[in-house]
């Protein structure tokens, strides 16, 4: 009897066919771990069902986002056309992913993915998301300076002069393209040493989940988070950063969510894509043209932001002001 296709199966098909544009002769590698095995198997089985050559590799889950996979896995990534990474901890900002991309491999990372997020996030209108994300990229690249404020107390500014912006548009069809799935964001690396002010994480924090009680308040001087305060989550964040060293506190990324199907769920992969939010990350920014290469990258989501690009209002109280 023919297996009845589930919503997870259809989400996998969208990822393989639409988002990655996988061609009949291309080979697929799925890298997963013991925590995200169900999604890894679903991607692998659907790839085979669709007629592709697919290899499934399971490794032990990493401890932090941005930790390198085993050398054998990194080497395998370079030998396939399309690589899917549904893993508990993010492989996005790793040398393994960057090296594979540089060799022309198309890579989709699914850090912290859950079945619910996969189904909800992959059934979005990616043509619409792509158009908005690309438009935002073009606007940001013309600017020099950003200031963000928000009701919970965020007031931070930084230079973006000369920086490339990246549209994580969900359609990765060209050689070497990579990004998250589900997706929908435009992001860049603020110029190192220029960020000053405070940002208050009141949405969610990578690896720590939804902010429910105390917000995480992060004070920033000359590009580094100098003081982190709040409740238990703030203490946990400090421990993670201190285990890596000073550069873990680098202001690494500024991003704007462009996916109107995404909602705050406590899974950063989805949270940072939510329309009406911005996120600021600490740690590694090499993947986005910066110079800080540390094995950690942690994003904090800010709700209802107001964003100025130079002297122009780009976003007001979470509403994008671009047509």
């Amino acid at each position: 009897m023919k297996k009845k296709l589930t919503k997870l199966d259809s989400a996998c098909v969208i990822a393989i066919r639409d988002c990655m544009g996988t061609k009949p002769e291309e080979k697929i590698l799925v890298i997963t771990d013991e925590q995200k095995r169900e999604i890894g198997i679903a991607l692998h089985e659907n790839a085979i069902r669709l007629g592709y050559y697919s290899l499934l590799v399971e490794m032990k889950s990493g401890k932090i986002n941005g930790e390198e996979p085993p050398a054998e896995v990194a080497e395998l990534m370079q030998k396939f056309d399309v690589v899917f990474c549904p893993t508990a901890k993010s492989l996005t900002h790793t040398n393994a992913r960057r090296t594979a991309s540089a060799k022309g491999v198309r890579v989709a990372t699914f850090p912290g993915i859950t079945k619910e997020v996969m189904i909800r996030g992959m059934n979005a209108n990616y043509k619409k998301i792509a158009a908005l994300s690309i438009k935002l990229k073009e606007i940001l690249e013309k600017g020099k300076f950003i200031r963000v404020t928000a009701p919970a107390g965020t007031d931070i500014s930084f230079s973006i002069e000369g920086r490339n912006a990246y549209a994580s548009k969900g359609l990765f069809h060209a050689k070497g393209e990579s990004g998250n799935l589900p997706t929908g964001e435009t992001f860049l690396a603020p110029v190192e040493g220029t960020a000053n002010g405070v940002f208050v994480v009141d949405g969610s924090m990578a690896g720590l989940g939804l902010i429910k009680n105390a917000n995480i308040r992060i004070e920033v001087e000359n590009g580094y988070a100098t003081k982190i305060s709040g409740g238990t989550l703030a203490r946990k964040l400090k421990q993670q950063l201190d285990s890596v060293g000073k550069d873990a506190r680098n202001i690494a990324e500024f991003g704007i969510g462009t996916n109107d199907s995404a909602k705050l769920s406590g899974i950063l992969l989805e949270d940072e894509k939510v329309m009406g939010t911005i996120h600021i990350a600490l740690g590694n920014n090499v993947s986005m043209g910066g110079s800080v290469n540390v094995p950690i990258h942690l994003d904090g989501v800010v709700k209802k932001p107001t964003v100025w690009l130079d002297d122009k209002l780009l976003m007001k109280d979470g509403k994008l002001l671009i047509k």
Side-chain angles (χ1 to χ4, degrees), residues 216-253:
I216 303 174
R217 180 183 164 87
I218 301 171
E219 292 174 39
V220 178
E221 282 177 45
N222 302 325
Y224 284 91
T226 51
K227 190 178 175 193
I228 298 168
S229 53
T232 311
L233 294 184
R235 283 194 294 279
K236 285 183 180 172
L237 175 60
K238 271 204 297 207
Q239 283 167 359
Q240 287 184 346
L241 298 172
D242 291 345
S243 72
V244 173
K246 189 192 174 189
D247 278 347
R249 291 172 174 247
N250 169 57
I251 301 301
E253 175 187 354

Side-chain angles (χ1 to χ4, degrees), residues 29-306:
L29 172 67
V30 180
I31 298 166
T32 192
D33 56 36
E34 74 286 0
Q35 293 187 48
K36 302 301 169 187
R37 183 181 292 147
E38 183 184 10
I39 289 161
I41 289 170
L43 280 162
H44 172 64
E45 287 182 345
N46 277 285
I48 287 172
R49 186 176 60 78
L50 292 169
Y52 296 104
Y53 174 95
S54 177
L55 178 67
L56 176 68
V57 173
E58 184 178 306
M59 61 182 191
K60 189 176 186 299
S61 61
K63 292 184 182 69
I64 53 173
N65 290 317
E67 187 180 323
E68 294 295 330
E72 297 83 354
V73 173
E75 206 174 304
L76 260 183
M77 288 173 77
Q78 300 169 37
K79 296 178 177 177
F80 286 76
D81 302 291
V82 173
V83 178
F84 292 106
C85 306
T87 53
K89 299 299 180 188
S90 179
L91 294 181
T92 310
H93 304 284
T94 59
N95 293 326
R97 199 279 304 155
R98 283 189 286 270
T99 303
S101 296
K103 293 200 169 177
V105 181
R106 307 197 300 288
V107 185
T109 50
F110 304 70
I113 187 79
T114 65
K115 197 170 163 181
E116 294 70 31
V117 170
M118 181 83 172
I119 290 165
R120 182 165 57 237
M122 292 311 304
N123 285 294
N125 181 345
Y126 277 101
K127 283 192 175 141
K128 187 176 155 195
I129 289 167
L132 177 59
S133 304
I134 290 164
K135 194 163 198 183
L136 255 181
K137 165 186 160 68
E138 289 164 357
I139 291 168
L140 288 172
E141 286 182 342
K142 287 178 188 146
K144 293 181 177 178
F145 197 74
I146 278 178
R147 181 182 173 209
V148 185
T149 64
T154 292
D155 191 346
I156 189 169
S157 54
F158 43 83
S159 169
I160 59 165
E161 191 167 1
R163 285 286 152 106
N164 290 327
Y166 297 84
S168 190
K169 56 193 189 301
L171 303 173
F172 309 117
H173 296 176
K175 255 183 163 337
E177 281 195 321
S178 72
N180 287 159
L181 285 178
T183 197
E185 64 166 317
T186 299
F187 61 92
L188 49 70
V191 176
E192 292 84 353
T194 65
N196 284 285
V198 61
F199 72 100
V200 178
V201 180
D202 61 346
S204 78
M205 188 78 212
L208 299 173
L210 288 172
I211 307 292
K212 287 179 179 164
N213 302 314
N215 293 337
I216 303 174
R217 180 183 164 87
I218 301 171
E219 292 174 39
V220 178
E221 282 177 45
N222 302 325
Y224 284 91
T226 51
K227 190 178 175 193
I228 298 168
S229 53
T232 311
L233 294 184
R235 283 194 294 279
K236 285 183 180 172
L237 175 60
K238 271 204 297 207
Q239 283 167 359
Q240 287 184 346
L241 298 172
D242 291 345
S243 72
V244 173
K246 189 192 174 189
D247 278 347
R249 291 172 174 247
N250 169 57
I251 301 301
E253 175 187 354
F254 167 71
I256 298 175
T258 59
N259 187 328
D260 54 359
S261 290
K263 67 176 194 181
L264 285 172
S265 61
I267 309 294
L268 200 280
L269 170 67
E270 179 175 33
D271 296 347
E272 66 177 2
K273 313 304 187 311
V274 172
M275 184 90 89
T277 68
I278 63 101
H279 53 280
I280 292 173
L282 301 165
N284 187 311
N285 66 1
V286 170
S287 298
M288 49 198 79
S291 60
V292 176
N293 193 0
V294 283
I296 195 166
H297 180 93
L298 300 174
D299 306 74
V301 177
V302 176
K303 297 193 284 192
K304 296 189 178 169
T306 294

